[in-house]
Amino acid sequence: MSSKLPPEIRARLREWGAGADPALNQNSKALFAPLQAPAAGVTQELDIPFGADARQKLDVYHVADGKTGKTIVIYIPGGGFTGGDKRQDDNYFGNVCRFFARQGMVGVAANYRLAPDFKWPCAGQDLQSAVRWMKANAARFGGDANRVVIFGHSAGSSHVASYLFDPDLRGGEEVIGGVLASGLYVLRKEEMRPNVAQYFGDDEKQYERRSAMTHVGKSKVPVLLAVAEMDPVYLITPTFEM
C-alpha cells in the first residue's frame, strides 16, 4: 500500500534518520504541522480532572451530533517517563484525538503523574483511574462505556502495557482493546537508561515483576503492536519481543 505522506516529507525524514533527541522531535513535528486538520466541527472539553493531582486530567474531543454508543479511544502520550503532556502544543495530540472524533468516536487524551516524584506503578494506576472515569461518564459525550480502547505511544505505551497486563491492575478486563506503539515492555539491567530507572527503580530483582512482558501471556485482550520506520532500535526491539 502506497503512503499518502508527501514525498518531500518522506525525503526529509530519511535524511534525518532514526533517533529520538529533542531537536529531531521538534523538527519532525514542524514538518507535519501543515498537514493537521483544523479543529472546526469538533467539540473540545479540556483539563477535566479524574483525580486530585494536577497531572490527573484529561481532554475529550467529540462531535456533538446527538449520536450515542460511540467507541471511546483514550490516547496516552509519551515523554520519557519524566515529561510529556497531552497538550504540549495547541495541535499535536489534539490532532490525534480530533481524528477519532471525526471517525464517529470519542477521542480522549490523558495525562499521568511523572517520575521521579511518582514511581512505578503510579502511571498505570492513573490510566486505570482515567479509564474508569471515562466509563462512568461515557454518556455525557455520546460514548459507550463498554467500548473503550486505550492507545499509548513510547513511555505512554509502556504505561498502557502495565495497565493492560499487570496482575494488580488487570486493565485488559476493563477495555475491549489496546494499541501499543513504540514502547518498552521488558526491563533489563544492561539496557536500563537513567530516565527509565527513575520510574521503574534500580533494583534489578524487581525488573521481571515490573515488566509488562512477564504478564502478557495471561491476558486475552486484543492488542495492536506498532513501530515507526524511523524509530531508534531501543524502541523497535521490545515490540518484536512482545
Side-chain angles (χ1 to χ4, degrees), residues 120-134:
W120 181 92
C122 286
Q125 294 169 340
D126 288 351
L127 270 54
Q128 186 157 65
S129 295
V131 168
R132 291 179 176 179
W133 190 94
M134 279 305 305

Side-chain angles (χ1 to χ4, degrees), residues 45-230:
E45 301 188 38
L46 309 177
D47 289 326
I48 302 172
F50 62 84
D53 190 87
R55 288 280 306 180
Q56 293 173 318
K57 293 181 180 178
L58 52 81
D59 300 338
V60 181
Y61 300 76
H62 61 105
V63 175
D65 53 11
K67 295 180 180 179
T68 59
K70 298 178 179 180
T71 297
I72 299 168
V73 182
I74 302 176
Y75 181 77
I76 309 299
F81 299 95
T82 61
D85 191 87
K86 59 185 171 54
R87 240 171 35 255
Q88 61 181 18
D89 60 35
D90 290 336
N91 292 307
Y92 197 71
F93 295 129
N95 182 63
V96 174
C97 294
R98 288 192 293 269
F99 170 82
F100 291 122
R102 290 193 179 95
Q103 307 308 309
M105 295 174 263
V106 178
V108 181
N111 274 348
Y112 46 86
R113 292 170 294 174
L114 300 172
D117 294 332
F118 297 94
K119 302 182 184 299
W120 181 92
C122 286
Q125 294 169 340
D126 288 351
L127 270 54
Q128 186 157 65
S129 295
V131 168
R132 291 179 176 179
W133 190 94
M134 279 305 305
K135 288 169 74 74
N137 294 273
R140 169 177 163 185
F141 310 102
D144 183 343
N146 296 313
R147 293 189 58 80
V148 178
V149 175
I150 189 164
F151 175 3
H153 174 253
S154 194
S157 184
S158 302
H159 296 320
V160 169
S162 291
Y163 163 71
L164 291 175
F165 307 133
D166 190 277
D168 289 338
L169 296 175
R170 302 169 68 90
E173 299 176 6
E174 299 181 321
V175 298
I176 63 169
V179 180
L180 302 177
S182 307
L184 175 67
Y185 313 119
V186 60
L187 306 173
R188 298 185 179 96
K189 179 182 178 181
E190 63 273 16
E191 299 173 353
M192 184 58 59
R193 300 185 301 280
N195 62 306
V196 180
Q198 288 187 68
Y199 179 69
F200 287 104
D202 54 12
D203 182 358
E204 61 182 292
K205 294 179 182 178
Q206 300 296 324
Y207 288 168
E208 182 177 3
R209 168 64 184 84
R210 297 177 181 181
S211 295
M213 190 89 70
T214 302
H215 314 291
V216 67
K218 299 177 183 179
S219 176
K220 295 183 179 180
V221 63
V223 172
L224 171 66
L225 298 170
V227 292
E229 180 180 354
M230 293 298 176

Side-chain angles (χ1 to χ4, degrees), residues 20-35:
D21 63 88
L24 181 57
N25 185 290
Q26 292 302 316
N27 290 338
S28 299
K29 288 174 181 174
L31 279 182
F32 283 94
L35 304 181

